[in-house]
Amino acid sequence: MFDLSGKAALVTGASGGIGAAIARALHGRGAVVGLSGTRENPLKALAGELGDRVHVLPCDLSDAGAVTALPKDAAAAMGSVDILVNNAGVTRDNLFLRMSDDEWDGVIAVNLTAAFKLSRGVLRGMMKARWGRIVNVSSVVGATGNPGQGNYAASKAGLVGMGKSLAHEVASRGITVNAIAPGFVATAMTDKLTDDQRGKIDAQVPAGRMGTPEEIAAAAVFLASPEAAYVTGTVLHVNGGLAMV
Amino acid sequence: MSDIEDRVRKKVVEHLGVEEDKVKENASFIDDLGADSLDTVELVMAFEEEFGIEIPDDAAESIQTFGDAVKFIKENT
């Protein structure tokens, strides 16, 4: 089950906690992985840890030219892109009334527009191969909203609508498009929280704790796998019961 | 019958699974040959590969029939 050997996966935001866990998990199932991210050093460190079947593909997703080049570079390095994980995301939180155009545009560009362009860029190869998996990492806030995150929530909800539309178009070609919506996940970012802050978060979650990056990665492995061929246009919520939607 | 016509016809037959004699000059991919819109995109991709050319999106949209495809490819190879 869930054997990905012979498949090539491009993971954006692979320098972050969730992205790195997804890359590790796909690699662990036999996939060749392309690690993309803005910070080259963490990507190289992860590549070193994984050993073979790995390519480092640095890319700044706020740079439109670089985004267009990435699918081509990835296909050149790996031979094809069979699995695309649009995981990269940024936040620029602010109250709606105070949110600047830049804060809005910057988040939409990286979280949503880059995912659109990368998906478009890998489709041709997937259509020819009659096989493909696109996994968009959304967020629980895309379904529930969150104060101070109008831009982020819009981008994450946008991924869901975009993915469903694409799922309709390409289902007959063996390509599935799905989203994962993580809730609170323990990463380097949440390590900075105080125990008190963390306790408050845990209390909101029926499971009583934050999720781990590995639990998000397991969902990505499932959606990328041959076994999930009949799962498309869906959102897999991985949130410990935080929002049952 | 030109070599280009033959090669285009072969691609159409291969992709749409239609009888060769149905692929006539004015046969519309969608109306006569049962293609959906995604099929037409794939056909254009197949033509690009077969003839080593790039077919821009606006040109691709104007290729509606077998004759359109042959004409475009003749003019651009």
Side-chain angles (χ1 to χ4, degrees), chain A residues 76-125:
Chain A
M78 302 192 288
S80 62
V81 178
D82 309 299
I83 299 162
L84 169 65
V85 183
N86 285 311
N87 164 72
V90 294
T91 55
R92 291 179 69 183
D93 298 355
N94 210 340
L95 286 175
F96 217 95
L97 269 168
R98 300 202 185 286
M99 187 169 289
S100 69
D101 289 2
D102 271 357
E103 285 166 341
W104 174 270
D105 291 340
V107 167
I108 297 293
V110 171
N111 297 11
L112 183 58
T113 308
F116 156 65
K117 290 183 179 175
L118 294 178
S119 300
R120 188 180 58 184
V122 300
L123 272 178
R124 184 178 276 245

Tab-separated table of all heavy atoms in Angstrom, chain A residues 76-125:
chain	number	residue	atom	x	y	z
A	76	ALA	N	13.049	18.677	-15.491
A	76	ALA	CA	14.377	18.433	-16.056
A	76	ALA	C	15.235	17.637	-15.065
A	76	ALA	O	15.958	16.721	-15.444
A	76	ALA	CB	15.050	19.757	-16.406
A	77	ALA	N	15.122	17.991	-13.791
A	77	ALA	CA	15.949	17.320	-12.777
A	77	ALA	C	15.471	15.895	-12.507
A	77	ALA	O	16.274	14.976	-12.339
A	77	ALA	CB	15.932	18.129	-11.478
A	78	MET	N	14.146	15.704	-12.473
A	78	MET	CA	13.600	14.416	-12.009
A	78	MET	C	13.059	13.543	-13.142
A	78	MET	O	12.675	12.400	-12.912
A	78	MET	CB	12.477	14.653	-10.996
A	78	MET	CG	12.932	15.461	-9.777
A	78	MET	SD	11.736	15.470	-8.418
A	78	MET	CE	10.440	16.523	-9.067
A	79	GLY	N	12.974	14.113	-14.353
A	79	GLY	CA	12.414	13.354	-15.476
A	79	GLY	C	10.942	13.626	-15.684
A	79	GLY	O	10.445	13.602	-16.794
A	80	SER	N	10.222	13.891	-14.579
A	80	SER	CA	8.797	14.229	-14.667
A	80	SER	C	8.383	14.798	-13.317
A	80	SER	O	9.150	14.747	-12.352
A	80	SER	CB	7.962	12.979	-14.972
A	80	SER	OG	8.104	12.044	-13.915
A	81	VAL	N	7.188	15.354	-13.271
A	81	VAL	CA	6.594	15.694	-11.973
A	81	VAL	C	5.255	14.961	-11.923
A	81	VAL	O	4.315	15.329	-12.612
A	81	VAL	CB	6.385	17.214	-11.789
A	81	VAL	CG1	5.724	17.501	-10.444
A	81	VAL	CG2	7.709	17.969	-11.899
A	82	ASP	N	5.198	13.904	-11.151
A	82	ASP	CA	3.976	13.100	-11.053
A	82	ASP	C	3.105	13.544	-9.892
A	82	ASP	O	1.905	13.330	-9.877
A	82	ASP	CB	4.346	11.622	-10.847
A	82	ASP	CG	5.354	11.146	-11.874
A	82	ASP	OD1	5.026	11.193	-13.079
A	82	ASP	OD2	6.471	10.755	-11.489
A	83	ILE	N	3.767	14.126	-8.895
A	83	ILE	CA	3.076	14.559	-7.676
A	83	ILE	C	3.526	15.987	-7.377
A	83	ILE	O	4.728	16.256	-7.322
A	83	ILE	CB	3.461	13.650	-6.486
A	83	ILE	CG1	3.063	12.191	-6.752
A	83	ILE	CG2	2.840	14.160	-5.186
A	83	ILE	CD1	3.776	11.183	-5.849
A	84	LEU	N	2.558	16.876	-7.235
A	84	LEU	CA	2.889	18.252	-6.851
A	84	LEU	C	2.232	18.538	-5.507
A	84	LEU	O	1.024	18.368	-5.359
A	84	LEU	CB	2.366	19.249	-7.897
A	84	LEU	CG	2.420	20.735	-7.498
A	84	LEU	CD1	3.865	21.215	-7.331
A	84	LEU	CD2	1.696	21.600	-8.528
A	85	VAL	N	3.035	18.958	-4.551
A	85	VAL	CA	2.484	19.350	-3.251
A	85	VAL	C	2.693	20.847	-3.075
A	85	VAL	O	3.815	21.317	-2.879
A	85	VAL	CB	3.144	18.578	-2.090
A	85	VAL	CG1	2.487	18.981	-0.771
A	85	VAL	CG2	3.044	17.077	-2.297
A	86	ASN	N	1.599	21.588	-3.224
A	86	ASN	CA	1.648	23.033	-3.015
A	86	ASN	C	1.505	23.300	-1.522
A	86	ASN	O	0.408	23.462	-1.003
A	86	ASN	CB	0.515	23.720	-3.785
A	86	ASN	CG	0.785	23.778	-5.266
A	86	ASN	OD1	1.865	24.190	-5.694
A	86	ASN	ND2	-0.188	23.361	-6.064
A	87	ASN	N	2.655	23.303	-0.859
A	87	ASN	CA	2.648	23.437	0.592
A	87	ASN	C	3.087	24.826	1.057
A	87	ASN	O	2.709	25.254	2.143
A	87	ASN	CB	3.569	22.355	1.185
A	87	ASN	CG	3.942	22.647	2.613
A	87	ASN	OD1	3.117	22.533	3.523
A	87	ASN	ND2	5.178	23.077	2.834
A	88	ALA	N	3.880	25.507	0.232
A	88	ALA	CA	4.464	26.780	0.682
A	88	ALA	C	3.386	27.770	1.072
A	88	ALA	O	2.366	27.893	0.395
A	88	ALA	CB	5.325	27.364	-0.433
A	89	GLY	N	3.601	28.453	2.165
A	89	GLY	CA	2.641	29.462	2.574
A	89	GLY	C	3.293	30.500	3.454
A	89	GLY	O	4.257	30.209	4.162
A	90	VAL	N	2.796	31.712	3.343
A	90	VAL	CA	3.285	32.782	4.216
A	90	VAL	C	2.091	33.428	4.913
A	90	VAL	O	0.947	33.318	4.454
A	90	VAL	CB	4.045	33.862	3.417
A	90	VAL	CG1	5.325	33.287	2.821
A	90	VAL	CG2	3.178	34.464	2.314
A	91	THR	N	2.377	34.077	6.038
A	91	THR	CA	1.335	34.860	6.703
A	91	THR	C	1.805	36.300	6.832
A	91	THR	O	3.002	36.554	7.007
A	91	THR	CB	1.046	34.347	8.135
A	91	THR	OG1	2.265	34.336	8.872
A	91	THR	CG2	0.443	32.963	8.128
A	92	ARG	N	0.890	37.215	6.696
A	92	ARG	CA	1.154	38.618	7.024
A	92	ARG	C	-0.117	39.130	7.677
A	92	ARG	O	-0.961	39.761	7.050
A	92	ARG	CB	1.519	39.419	5.769
A	92	ARG	CG	2.891	39.010	5.221
A	92	ARG	CD	3.266	39.766	3.973
A	92	ARG	NE	3.531	41.179	4.235
A	92	ARG	CZ	3.822	42.062	3.276
A	92	ARG	NH1	3.895	41.682	2.026
A	92	ARG	NH2	4.048	43.323	3.571
A	93	ASP	N	-0.241	38.754	8.955
A	93	ASP	CA	-1.493	39.006	9.667
A	93	ASP	C	-1.685	40.489	9.977
A	93	ASP	O	-0.739	41.203	10.301
A	93	ASP	CB	-1.510	38.227	10.996
A	93	ASP	CG	-1.450	36.711	10.787
A	93	ASP	OD1	-1.494	36.266	9.621
A	93	ASP	OD2	-1.361	35.983	11.794
A	94	ASN	N	-2.911	40.895	9.900
A	94	ASN	CA	-3.275	42.239	10.343
A	94	ASN	C	-4.795	42.324	10.435
A	94	ASN	O	-5.497	41.583	9.734
A	94	ASN	CB	-2.767	43.291	9.354
A	94	ASN	CG	-2.440	44.607	10.038
A	94	ASN	OD1	-2.924	44.877	11.148
A	94	ASN	ND2	-1.633	45.411	9.387
A	95	LEU	N	-5.269	43.201	11.290
A	95	LEU	CA	-6.708	43.423	11.330
A	95	LEU	C	-7.174	43.926	9.966
A	95	LEU	O	-6.453	44.651	9.287
A	95	LEU	CB	-7.056	44.462	12.399
A	95	LEU	CG	-6.951	43.962	13.835
A	95	LEU	CD1	-7.204	45.118	14.794
A	95	LEU	CD2	-7.933	42.829	14.090
A	96	PHE	N	-8.340	43.494	9.592
A	96	PHE	CA	-8.860	43.825	8.261
A	96	PHE	C	-8.766	45.322	7.969
A	96	PHE	O	-8.328	45.741	6.901
A	96	PHE	CB	-10.329	43.379	8.182
A	96	PHE	CG	-10.694	42.835	6.835
A	96	PHE	CD1	-10.651	41.473	6.584
A	96	PHE	CD2	-11.066	43.682	5.803
A	96	PHE	CE1	-10.979	40.960	5.332
A	96	PHE	CE2	-11.393	43.183	4.559
A	96	PHE	CZ	-11.356	41.821	4.314
A	97	LEU	N	-9.174	46.126	8.957
A	97	LEU	CA	-9.190	47.576	8.755
A	97	LEU	C	-7.802	48.147	8.519
A	97	LEU	O	-7.660	49.202	7.925
A	97	LEU	CB	-9.792	48.253	9.998
A	97	LEU	CG	-11.292	48.469	9.962
A	97	LEU	CD1	-11.793	48.862	11.344
A	97	LEU	CD2	-11.634	49.565	8.947
A	98	ARG	N	-6.802	47.439	9.023
A	98	ARG	CA	-5.433	47.942	8.900
A	98	ARG	C	-4.637	47.241	7.811
A	98	ARG	O	-3.484	47.561	7.576
A	98	ARG	CB	-4.687	47.771	10.228
A	98	ARG	CG	-5.315	48.494	11.376
A	98	ARG	CD	-4.306	48.747	12.489
A	98	ARG	NE	-4.958	49.338	13.655
A	98	ARG	CZ	-5.367	50.601	13.715
A	98	ARG	NH1	-5.185	51.415	12.689
A	98	ARG	NH2	-5.962	51.056	14.808
A	99	MET	N	-5.228	46.249	7.198
A	99	MET	CA	-4.456	45.459	6.232
A	99	MET	C	-4.127	46.275	4.981
A	99	MET	O	-5.007	46.857	4.363
A	99	MET	CB	-5.219	44.188	5.848
A	99	MET	CG	-4.380	43.253	4.980
A	99	MET	SD	-5.131	41.642	4.789
A	99	MET	CE	-4.912	40.966	6.429
A	100	SER	N	-2.840	46.290	4.641
A	100	SER	CA	-2.406	47.045	3.466
A	100	SER	C	-2.597	46.203	2.202
A	100	SER	O	-2.705	44.970	2.268
A	100	SER	CB	-0.933	47.424	3.601
A	100	SER	OG	-0.131	46.253	3.508
A	101	ASP	N	-2.606	46.880	1.074
A	101	ASP	CA	-2.682	46.174	-0.210
A	101	ASP	C	-1.502	45.216	-0.351
A	101	ASP	O	-1.656	44.110	-0.894
A	101	ASP	CB	-2.666	47.168	-1.387
A	101	ASP	CG	-3.963	47.951	-1.487
A	101	ASP	OD1	-4.858	47.747	-0.630
A	101	ASP	OD2	-4.079	48.785	-2.406
A	102	ASP	N	-0.341	45.657	0.119
A	102	ASP	CA	0.852	44.806	0.023
A	102	ASP	C	0.699	43.522	0.825
A	102	ASP	O	1.135	42.452	0.389
A	102	ASP	CB	2.083	45.551	0.563
A	102	ASP	CG	2.753	46.348	-0.538
A	102	ASP	OD1	2.289	46.257	-1.696
A	102	ASP	OD2	3.733	47.061	-0.226
A	103	GLU	N	0.128	43.655	2.010
A	103	GLU	CA	-0.059	42.469	2.858
A	103	GLU	C	-1.036	41.497	2.194
A	103	GLU	O	-0.856	40.275	2.243
A	103	GLU	CB	-0.568	42.879	4.247
A	103	GLU	CG	0.537	43.490	5.097
A	103	GLU	CD	0.022	44.220	6.338
A	103	GLU	OE1	-1.177	44.587	6.389
A	103	GLU	OE2	0.831	44.453	7.242
A	104	TRP	N	-2.055	42.045	1.593
A	104	TRP	CA	-3.014	41.207	0.874
A	104	TRP	C	-2.354	40.532	-0.332
A	104	TRP	O	-2.354	39.304	-0.469
A	104	TRP	CB	-4.217	42.053	0.424
A	104	TRP	CG	-5.171	41.295	-0.436
A	104	TRP	CD1	-5.152	41.188	-1.806
A	104	TRP	CD2	-6.258	40.485	0.002
A	104	TRP	NE1	-6.166	40.371	-2.238
A	104	TRP	CE2	-6.858	39.929	-1.156
A	104	TRP	CE3	-6.800	40.169	1.264
A	104	TRP	CZ2	-7.975	39.074	-1.087
A	104	TRP	CZ3	-7.908	39.324	1.315
A	104	TRP	CH2	-8.485	38.790	0.155
A	105	ASP	N	-1.762	41.358	-1.197
A	105	ASP	CA	-1.192	40.851	-2.448
A	105	ASP	C	-0.063	39.851	-2.200
A	105	ASP	O	0.052	38.851	-2.914
A	105	ASP	CB	-0.641	42.005	-3.299
A	105	ASP	CG	-1.742	42.904	-3.842
A	105	ASP	OD1	-2.906	42.451	-3.888
A	105	ASP	OD2	-1.437	44.048	-4.223
A	106	GLY	N	0.759	40.139	-1.195
A	106	GLY	CA	1.919	39.281	-0.932
A	106	GLY	C	1.499	37.871	-0.551
A	106	GLY	O	2.076	36.878	-1.017
A	107	VAL	N	0.478	37.779	0.282
A	107	VAL	CA	0.007	36.463	0.737
A	107	VAL	C	-0.712	35.724	-0.393
A	107	VAL	O	-0.490	34.533	-0.608
A	107	VAL	CB	-0.901	36.624	1.987
A	107	VAL	CG1	-1.654	35.347	2.288
A	107	VAL	CG2	-0.040	37.039	3.176
A	108	ILE	N	-1.537	36.436	-1.145
A	108	ILE	CA	-2.250	35.799	-2.259
A	108	ILE	C	-1.250	35.304	-3.309
A	108	ILE	O	-1.409	34.213	-3.874
A	108	ILE	CB	-3.271	36.777	-2.907
A	108	ILE	CG1	-4.351	37.176	-1.895
A	108	ILE	CG2	-3.894	36.170	-4.172
A	108	ILE	CD1	-5.277	36.085	-1.444
A	109	ALA	N	-0.206	36.081	-3.554
A	109	ALA	CA	0.773	35.718	-4.589
A	109	ALA	C	1.458	34.395	-4.263
A	109	ALA	O	1.565	33.512	-5.122
A	109	ALA	CB	1.813	36.821	-4.748
A	110	VAL	N	1.923	34.261	-3.045
A	110	VAL	CA	2.680	33.049	-2.681
A	110	VAL	C	1.740	31.867	-2.436
A	110	VAL	O	1.969	30.757	-2.913
A	110	VAL	CB	3.553	33.307	-1.435
A	110	VAL	CG1	4.175	32.006	-0.927
A	110	VAL	CG2	4.639	34.327	-1.764
A	111	ASN	N	0.679	32.091	-1.679
A	111	ASN	CA	-0.160	30.971	-1.244
A	111	ASN	C	-1.111	30.480	-2.330
A	111	ASN	O	-1.422	29.290	-2.368
A	111	ASN	CB	-1.006	31.380	-0.029
A	111	ASN	CG	-0.147	31.717	1.176
A	111	ASN	OD1	1.068	31.850	1.073
A	111	ASN	ND2	-0.787	31.883	2.317
A	112	LEU	N	-1.567	31.380	-3.189
A	112	LEU	CA	-2.602	30.993	-4.153
A	112	LEU	C	-2.119	31.078	-5.604
A	112	LEU	O	-2.210	30.101	-6.348
A	112	LEU	CB	-3.847	31.865	-3.947
A	112	LEU	CG	-5.067	31.551	-4.826
A	112	LEU	CD1	-5.528	30.115	-4.641
A	112	LEU	CD2	-6.206	32.520	-4.505
A	113	THR	N	-1.589	32.229	-5.990
A	113	THR	CA	-1.201	32.402	-7.395
A	113	THR	C	-0.065	31.456	-7.771
A	113	THR	O	-0.072	30.864	-8.858
A	113	THR	CB	-0.809	33.865	-7.674
A	113	THR	OG1	-1.868	34.705	-7.207
A	113	THR	CG2	-0.585	34.109	-9.150
A	114	ALA	N	0.900	31.293	-6.874
A	114	ALA	CA	2.008	30.369	-7.182
A	114	ALA	C	1.480	28.941	-7.327
A	114	ALA	O	1.911	28.200	-8.214
A	114	ALA	CB	3.076	30.439	-6.098
A	115	ALA	N	0.526	28.564	-6.492
A	115	ALA	CA	-0.050	27.213	-6.587
A	115	ALA	C	-0.763	27.029	-7.928
A	115	ALA	O	-0.686	25.968	-8.549
A	115	ALA	CB	-1.016	26.969	-5.430
A	116	PHE	N	-1.454	28.071	-8.377
A	116	PHE	CA	-2.108	28.033	-9.686
A	116	PHE	C	-1.075	27.817	-10.793
A	116	PHE	O	-1.216	26.929	-11.639
A	116	PHE	CB	-2.883	29.338	-9.923
A	116	PHE	CG	-3.111	29.669	-11.377
A	116	PHE	CD1	-3.910	28.862	-12.181
A	116	PHE	CD2	-2.501	30.776	-11.957
A	116	PHE	CE1	-4.097	29.154	-13.529
A	116	PHE	CE2	-2.678	31.075	-13.300
A	116	PHE	CZ	-3.480	30.269	-14.088
A	117	LYS	N	-0.016	28.631	-10.758
A	117	LYS	CA	0.973	28.562	-11.838
A	117	LYS	C	1.735	27.234	-11.824
A	117	LYS	O	2.036	26.683	-12.881
A	117	LYS	CB	1.958	29.727	-11.733
A	117	LYS	CG	1.318	31.058	-12.068
A	117	LYS	CD	2.330	32.179	-12.031
A	117	LYS	CE	1.660	33.491	-12.401
A	117	LYS	NZ	2.579	34.627	-12.273
A	118	LEU	N	2.052	26.751	-10.655
A	118	LEU	CA	2.780	25.475	-10.574
A	118	LEU	C	1.882	24.342	-11.054
A	118	LEU	O	2.320	23.440	-11.774
A	118	LEU	CB	3.259	25.216	-9.143
A	118	LEU	CG	4.317	26.200	-8.612
A	118	LEU	CD1	4.672	25.866	-7.166
A	118	LEU	CD2	5.566	26.189	-9.471
A	119	SER	N	0.609	24.381	-10.659
A	119	SER	CA	-0.324	23.331	-11.096
A	119	SER	C	-0.440	23.342	-12.613
A	119	SER	O	-0.358	22.301	-13.272
A	119	SER	CB	-1.705	23.545	-10.467
A	119	SER	OG	-1.610	23.515	-9.057
A	120	ARG	N	-0.617	24.548	-13.173
A	120	ARG	CA	-0.714	24.670	-14.628
A	120	ARG	C	0.559	24.128	-15.292
A	120	ARG	O	0.505	23.475	-16.322
A	120	ARG	CB	-0.950	26.137	-14.996
A	120	ARG	CG	-1.246	26.371	-16.462
A	120	ARG	CD	-1.470	27.839	-16.748
A	120	ARG	NE	-0.329	28.657	-16.363
A	120	ARG	CZ	-0.289	29.985	-16.434
A	120	ARG	NH1	-1.345	30.661	-16.851
A	120	ARG	NH2	0.784	30.664	-16.060
A	121	GLY	N	1.688	24.427	-14.662
A	121	GLY	CA	2.969	24.039	-15.239
A	121	GLY	C	3.226	22.540	-15.258
A	121	GLY	O	3.964	22.052	-16.111
A	122	VAL	N	2.641	21.816	-14.328
A	122	VAL	CA	2.892	20.361	-14.283
A	122	VAL	C	1.812	19.553	-15.008
A	122	VAL	O	1.965	18.355	-15.217
A	122	VAL	CB	3.009	19.829	-12.824
A	122	VAL	CG1	4.161	20.506	-12.098
A	122	VAL	CG2	1.716	20.000	-12.057
A	123	LEU	N	0.718	20.216	-15.402
A	123	LEU	CA	-0.438	19.472	-15.944
A	123	LEU	C	-0.161	18.756	-17.252
A	123	LEU	O	-0.630	17.643	-17.481
A	123	LEU	CB	-1.613	20.429	-16.156
A	123	LEU	CG	-2.528	20.619	-14.961
A	123	LEU	CD1	-3.597	21.625	-15.331
A	123	LEU	CD2	-3.158	19.294	-14.551
A	124	ARG	N	0.604	19.426	-18.110
A	124	ARG	CA	0.859	18.856	-19.430
A	124	ARG	C	1.479	17.458	-19.300
A	124	ARG	O	0.998	16.499	-19.920
A	124	ARG	CB	1.785	19.803	-20.179
A	124	ARG	CG	2.088	19.422	-21.581
A	124	ARG	CD	2.977	20.479	-22.207
A	124	ARG	NE	2.197	21.587	-22.717
A	124	ARG	CZ	2.109	21.903	-24.020
A	124	ARG	NH1	2.784	21.217	-24.906
A	124	ARG	NH2	1.385	22.911	-24.427
A	125	GLY	N	2.502	17.364	-18.482
A	125	GLY	CA	3.163	16.071	-18.286
A	125	GLY	C	2.230	15.048	-17.664
A	125	GLY	O	2.213	13.872	-18.049
